[in-house]
Amino acid sequence: MQETLLAFFKKTGRPHRLEEILHRFGLEKREAKAHLKALVERGLLEKKGSRYFLANRVQGPLSLHRDGYGFVRLPEGDLFIPPGYTQDAWPGDLVEARVMPPGRDGRPWGVVERVLKRARERLVGTLDFRKGRALLLPDEPNLPELPLAPEGLEGLKRGSRIVAQVHYGKRPYGTFLAYLGEGEAPETETEAVIAKYGLRAEFPEEVLKEAEAIPLEIPEAELRRREDFRGLRVFTIDGVDAKDFDDAIHVERLPRGYRIGVHIADVSHYVKEGSLLDQEAFLRGTSVYLPGRVLPMLPERLSNGVCSLRPGEDRLVLSVLVDLTEDLEVKRVRFREGVIRSVARLTYTEVEAFAEGFGLPEEHAFLAEDLRLLLDLTQRMREKRLKEGALDFGFPEVKVEVGEEGELHLIPQAEPKARSLIEELMLLANRLVAEYLVQKGLPGLFRVHEEPVQDAYEKLRQALARLGYTLPPKLSGHALQKALLASRGRPEEPVVAYLVLRSLRLARYAPENLGHFGLAMEHYLHFTSPIRRYPDLVVHRVLKAALRRTLTPARKARWQEAFPAIAEHASEMERKAEAAERELTKYYMAKWAELHVGERFLGKVTGVASFGAFVTLPNGVEGLVRLEALGPYTYSEEALALLGPKGRRIRLGDEMEVRIAGANPRLRQVDFLPVEEAPKKTENGKEKAKEVEMRKVVGPPKDRARDTRPERATVNTIYFGEWTPKEPEEPRPARTRARRKRRR
C-alpha cells in the first residue's frame, strides 16, 4: 500500500491532506496514518501541518573537493553541495540530500542529510606516528587522516604501507588488517590496489580442494550424450599470452549461405550451482587482469585446465550453430551441448598478418580458406551493425607488459581485423542467446545499456554544434555514429568521441531485457566468457536447463528472485576490476615515464583545462603540460581549447612535442614540458629546440595531486559508458571588497 500511495503523490505532484487519502483509497484512519508515517520515516514524504507532500530529496554518490564543497552525481545533472553541508560523508559515499531552493545564481543546491551506504570498508595508506598516536594517511585524495587503534601495529615503522578496516561514527577510526610493504615498489602498489578495491587475491583452501577433485578425463557416457563436433575444423584465436581459451569457432560453406559455429567452454558442467567453487566465483564476479598479475575467477585447474579449449584435447562446450544467408540474415539457430577437439591455437598477431596479405605459419596453413571466409563475413557483419546505429569509438588500446625481471613494456594493441573477427562472432552469439531467452520467457542476466538521459543528450547537441556537427533534437544512435564517423581523421576526432562517450550511461547487468543502446541491439547478454565472467556462467545454466527441459516453475521462480542481486553484484565487481586495472596501468605508465625523464616525444592533446593541457604519447602515457609552461593561454570552455596570443590555440587532437619533466608513480601523474618547433641558437652556436621553462604563476602546485582535473577519454578498453567524467568544479563567487563610506 505504501508504494501505491507514493505513486499517487508522484502522479498528482501536489500536497494532500489525510482526509483526501481516506476518501481516495477507502482506508481506515489508523491504517492510513501508519502508512503515511512509514513513508515519512523513509524520507519519501514530508509532513507540514496537516498536509503530506513528496520530499524534495535525491540520492546519489558524493564527490568532494579538497576545499570542502561537493556534488551529488545524478543522471539529470549534478547537485552542488556547499562547504559545511556534506555532513560526515566521504567521497564516493551514497548519500541522501535535500534539494534547496535556487540561490542568487539561479541554481538549486543541496544539503546532505544522511549517508545511505559507505563507499569503502577499508583504506590503504601510509602509517604515521604523531604525538604518540598512530595515523593512516590514505592513498586516495580528499580523504581525512584516520586514527588507528594500536593493536597489530607492533614492529611497524613510519612509512609502512598498510590496510585498515574503517569504523564509522562520530569519530571514525581504523584497525590494522594487513601489511603491504615499504615504499612504492611495484609489488607493494599491486597489493595496495588489490586491497583498495577489495579484490580476492587467493583462493580459500577448501575451494582449491574442490577444484582438484575434478577429474581431467571426460567420462565416455558424457561424450556419447553430447553432439560430437570433433570432426570439424574448430580453432581458437586469442592473445599471445592468453591461457584461458573459453571460445572456439568454425565456419562451413552451405549451398545457399554459411554456417558459423561458436563453441563456448561448458564451465557449468564443472561448477555446480551452490558449490564452493560457485560461491567463490560469485564473490569474485570476474577475472581481473592487472599488469603483471591475473586474479582469475576460477582456480587454475579449471581456468587454464579442464575448461580451457586447448588444441588437440577433448573439451565440453555449449555451442551456438548459426545458418546465415548470403546477405548475412539469420536463417536458423541451434543450441547444443557438445564436445570439440580444437585443431589449432591461433594468435591475433598471426591472423592480423594473414589479413594484411602475409601467409599463416606452416602448421596452420590448412586454415587459410576458413580464415579468409571469416574475415570477409565478419567485416560485412560489422558494416551492417554500424549501419544499424551501433557506436564505434575507435579508441586505441595499450597493454602494459611486466617482465619476470621487472622490465616494463607499453604495447599498443594494433590487430583491428583479427580482434574484430572474434568480436563480431561473439556479439552474434550473445545476441542470439538473448533473443532465445526472451522468446521463451526464460529468466536471464542481460547486458543492458540504456539511452542517454535527455539533458545529457541536449548538452551533447550543443557542444557538437560548436564544432560544426549537427544532431537532431530527438535522440538517434544513427546520428551519433554518423558524427563519430564524420570526425575520423580530423583534428577534432578525439573531441567528438570524448563528448559522445561522456553523454552515455553505464552499461550494466540486469534481470530485465532493456536493450543495448551502444550496440543498437534490442536483445543482448554475455554468454561467451564463462571462465572469466560470472553472468555468463549463470546464462549457461539457464540455457542448459531449457535445452534439457529441467526448468521447473520452482527453479524459475528461485532464479527470478535471485537474479536482481546477482546482477547488481556483478556490475559492482566489474566496475571495481576495471578501476583497479586502470589505476595500476596509470602507475606503470608513470614508472615508464620516470625511466625516460628528459626524453622528447611527439604526442597528441587529449584534454584541456584551466590549468593546462593533457598530452598522450603513442604508447598511451598521458601527462600534463601546465599552463605556466605554455605561456599566456586562457581556457575557453566554449571552444574546448586553450586560447593564446595572435590567434593561437591548443585544441584536443593537436600534435605537440613534449619533454618528460618528471613523474610521480605514487600519485599516478606525469609532467611534460612543451618543446618549441623552431630550433634556437644556443650560446655555443649549436641548434637546440627551446624548452619552455616552468614558472610558478598559475595552475595547481607541483607537489599536489591533481585530483580535481576533469577526466579525459583516454582509457585502454571502452565498454559502453564504463567511463564517467569527474564533475566540473562549481564556479566560486568573486570576492569583492566592501566600499568604505567616504567621510565628508
Side-chain angles (χ1 to χ4, degrees):
M1 190 64 207
Q2 292 178 23
E3 301 306 319
T4 302
L5 289 173
L6 184 62
F8 171 68
F9 275 91
K10 289 181 178 179
K11 183 178 179 180
T12 61
R14 60 182 180 83
H16 295 279
R17 298 179 183 273
L18 177 61
E19 292 74 15
E20 295 179 67
I21 301 298
L22 297 176
H23 177 73
R24 171 81 180 186
F25 294 97
L27 298 173
E28 293 184 3
K29 189 172 184 179
R30 175 183 292 184
E31 182 184 6
K33 291 182 72 173
H35 288 313
L36 292 169
K37 182 180 179 182
L39 288 170
V40 171
E41 291 175 348
R42 291 169 59 188
L44 301 174
L45 290 183
E46 292 185 10
K47 184 183 180 185
K48 192 171 184 179
S50 60
R51 297 190 304 167
Y52 295 87
F53 53 93
L54 279 173
N56 197 11
R57 291 183 174 91
V58 294
Q59 296 179 1
L62 178 71
S63 61
L64 284 176
H65 189 270
R66 61 172 169 256
D67 288 343
Y69 63 84
F71 294 86
V72 178
R73 296 198 294 273
L74 304 169
E76 62 272 16
D78 296 345
L79 178 68
F80 176 64
I81 309 294
Y85 292 92
T86 59
Q87 300 288 4
D88 62 345
W90 286 10
D93 288 351
L94 180 66
V95 302
E96 182 176 83
R98 180 191 296 270
V99 181
M100 307 302 288
R104 285 179 292 179
D105 59 358
R107 299 174 61 185
W109 57 284
V111 176
V112 173
E113 294 198 330
R114 58 175 176 153
V115 176
L116 302 177
K117 183 180 179 182
R118 294 290 183 177
R120 52 189 69 75
E121 297 177 356
R122 54 181 64 188
L123 275 183
V124 177
T126 304
L127 178 63
D128 193 16
F129 296 101
R130 296 181 199 162
K131 298 180 180 179
R133 291 195 311 158
L135 295 172
L136 182 74
L137 311 181
D139 287 351
E140 297 179 65
N142 296 341
L143 291 184
E145 297 176 350
L146 187 68
L148 294 173
E151 290 77 17
L153 301 178
E154 300 85 359
L156 294 182
K157 298 180 295 185
R158 175 184 277 114
S160 298
R161 300 288 294 286
I162 65 171
V163 187
Q165 181 79 30
V166 183
H167 301 270
Y168 292 97
K170 291 184 178 180
R171 296 181 179 179
Y173 70 96
T175 53
F176 173 79
L177 282 181
Y179 169 74
L180 300 177
E182 303 288 335
E184 301 173 7
E187 298 81 6
T188 303
E189 287 299 325
T190 299
E191 293 297 335
V193 168
I194 291 172
K196 174 181 175 180
Y197 292 100
L199 305 178
R200 298 172 72 85
E202 306 298 333
F203 286 97
E205 190 63 33
E206 59 271 21
V207 174
L208 292 175
K209 286 181 179 179
E210 188 171 283
E212 289 300 319
I214 294 175
L216 298 178
E217 298 296 324
I218 304 172
E220 279 296 325
E222 186 65 29
L223 292 176
R224 288 194 300 270
R225 194 185 67 79
R226 292 171 174 258
E227 189 158 339
D228 195 341
F229 300 115
R230 288 176 289 185
L232 299 174
R233 288 196 299 271
V234 177
F235 58 96
T236 62
I237 305 176
D238 290 277
V240 175
D241 55 353
K243 294 179 181 178
D244 52 347
F245 314 134
D246 50 12
D247 57 84
I249 57 175
H250 90 274
V251 64
E252 302 173 67
R253 283 191 180 272
L254 301 178
R256 295 184 180 178
Y258 316 92
R259 175 170 296 155
I260 289 176
V262 178
H263 309 275
I264 308 302
D266 190 358
V267 178
S268 62
H269 177 79
Y270 299 101
V271 182
K272 303 300 183 183
E273 187 176 11
S275 66
L276 293 176
L277 280 167
D278 181 50
Q279 294 173 38
E280 182 69 17
F282 165 75
L283 290 174
R284 292 174 178 246
T286 179
S287 294
V288 185
Y289 298 90
L290 301 173
R293 186 169 176 186
V294 177
L295 308 180
M297 186 180 79
L298 298 171
E300 188 174 347
R301 185 175 178 86
L302 283 84
S303 60
N304 297 352
V306 294
C307 294
S308 187
L309 308 182
R310 295 174 176 177
E313 299 182 18
D314 291 351
R315 288 292 184 266
L316 302 182
V317 293
L318 196 52
S319 301
V320 181
L321 305 170
V322 191
D323 291 355
L324 301 171
T325 66
E326 295 285 353
D327 296 329
L328 302 184
E329 296 296 328
V330 175
K331 186 166 56 176
R332 183 188 181 197
V333 182
R334 290 178 294 147
F335 305 103
R336 293 290 185 269
E337 294 180 72
V339 57
I340 66 165
R341 183 181 297 156
S342 173
V343 299
R345 186 242 162 163
L346 276 61
T347 67
Y348 288 128
T349 306
E350 292 173 349
V351 176
E352 191 68 27
F354 178 80
E356 296 298 327
F358 300 94
L360 286 170
E362 186 176 347
E363 66 270 23
H364 298 153
F366 68 98
L367 289 172
E369 186 57 34
D370 290 5
L371 271 182
R372 194 172 291 112
L373 178 58
L374 283 170
L375 285 165
D376 174 64
L377 292 178
T378 53
Q379 179 61 30
R380 288 163 57 194
M381 288 179 186
R382 183 176 183 276
E383 292 171 356
K384 182 179 180 181
R385 188 166 56 84
L386 295 181
K387 285 181 181 177
E388 291 172 351
L391 302 182
D392 180 31
F393 290 96
F395 285 107
E397 182 178 347
V398 177
K399 180 181 178 183
V400 179
E401 194 172 274
V402 183
E404 294 182 0
E405 298 181 2
E407 61 273 21
L408 184 60
H409 305 283
L410 305 180
I411 307 170
Q413 302 296 288
E415 296 131 348
K417 295 179 182 178
R419 293 177 183 272
S420 179
L421 184 157
I422 292 297
E423 180 185 12
E424 292 302 323
L425 297 183
M426 299 306 112
L427 289 173
L428 175 66
N430 289 337
R431 174 173 65 86
L432 294 176
V433 173
E435 288 179 357
Y436 178 79
L437 296 189
V438 172
Q439 290 168 2
K440 297 293 184 180
L442 302 174
L445 280 180
F446 296 91
R447 183 66 172 177
V448 303
H449 182 229
E450 297 145 290
E451 293 183 349
V453 295
Q454 188 59 39
D455 286 351
Y457 179 68
E458 189 57 38
K459 290 178 182 177
L460 174 65
R461 281 189 68 218
Q462 296 172 8
L464 290 186
R466 295 197 293 266
L467 298 172
Y469 295 84
T470 304
L471 293 179
K474 187 176 180 181
L475 177 65
S476 165
H478 288 88
L480 294 181
Q481 180 60 19
K482 185 178 178 181
L484 290 170
L485 291 175
S487 68
R488 288 286 165 85
R490 300 179 63 84
E492 68 272 14
E493 177 184 353
V495 190
V496 175
Y498 158 76
L499 292 171
V500 172
L501 185 64
R502 184 175 176 175
S503 72
L504 299 179
R505 294 207 225 184
L506 286 171
R508 60 186 177 91
Y509 294 105
E512 311 90 12
N513 176 41
L514 304 175
H516 200 295
F517 176 78
L519 293 174
M521 291 184 183
E522 185 179 355
H523 312 289
Y524 191 69
L525 50 66
H526 279 167
F527 165 80
T528 55
S529 295
I531 290 178
R532 62 183 181 89
R533 291 189 305 228
Y534 192 75
D536 302 53
L537 176 57
V538 171
V539 169
H540 275 228
R541 289 175 179 148
V542 176
L543 181 59
K544 286 175 69 174
L547 296 177
R548 296 180 181 184
R549 293 183 170 86
T550 59
L551 186 55
T552 62
R555 194 178 189 185
K556 183 177 179 179
R558 177 167 56 82
W559 276 346
Q560 287 174 332
E561 183 179 354
F563 281 3
I566 295 175
E568 184 176 353
H569 177 74
S571 299
E572 180 182 358
M573 295 311 298
E574 178 188 55
R575 289 192 290 270
K576 287 183 177 180
E578 290 177 350
E581 180 183 350
R582 187 162 50 242
E583 180 170 337
L584 200 56
T585 296
K586 289 181 178 179
Y587 165 79
Y588 275 107
M589 287 183 169
K591 288 290 288 184
W592 178 90
E594 198 174 42
L595 297 173
H596 295 270
V597 169
E599 297 182 27
R600 292 163 51 171
F601 299 90
L602 185 64
K604 279 194 173 183
V605 177
T606 50
V608 290
S610 59
F611 47 81
F614 295 98
V615 176
T616 300
L617 307 184
N619 64 0
V621 173
E622 184 186 59
L624 174 66
V625 180
R626 299 174 185 272
L627 196 66
E628 59 263 33
L630 292 170
Y633 279 85
T634 56
Y635 174 62
S636 169
E637 185 175 2
E638 185 74 17
L640 290 172
L642 290 169
L643 306 181
K646 299 181 180 179
R648 294 181 182 177
R649 62 175 56 194
I650 298 173
R651 301 177 303 172
L652 280 80
D654 288 350
E655 288 190 338
M656 182 184 292
E657 188 176 7
V658 295
R659 177 174 68 87
I660 299 179
N664 189 329
R666 181 75 170 275
L667 298 178
R668 284 56 161 154
Q669 68 183 43
V670 178
D671 283 296
F672 292 150
L673 284 173
V675 178
E676 287 191 352
E677 295 180 3
K680 304 292 181 181
K681 293 284 185 178
T682 60
E683 293 181 0
N684 58 11
K686 293 183 179 180
E687 289 190 349
K688 179 182 178 183
K690 181 183 176 184
E691 296 165 354
V692 181
E693 294 297 327
M694 296 185 69
R695 303 185 307 278
K696 198 163 186 177
V697 181
V698 292
K702 299 180 190 177
D703 57 350
R704 187 176 293 176
R706 298 192 303 275
D707 55 284
T708 58
R709 68 179 188 240
E711 293 278 1
R712 286 80 52 205
T714 54
V715 293
N716 292 332
T717 304
I718 294 295
Y719 298 96
F720 293 99
E722 289 170 357
W723 166 90
T724 52
K726 287 185 180 177
E727 74 290 333
E729 292 189 13
E730 179 74 8
R732 295 171 138 196
R735 294 183 179 179
T736 56
R737 297 176 62 181
R739 295 183 179 180
R740 296 182 179 178
K741 292 184 179 181
R742 183 181 298 177
R743 293 185 179 181
R744 298 183 180 274

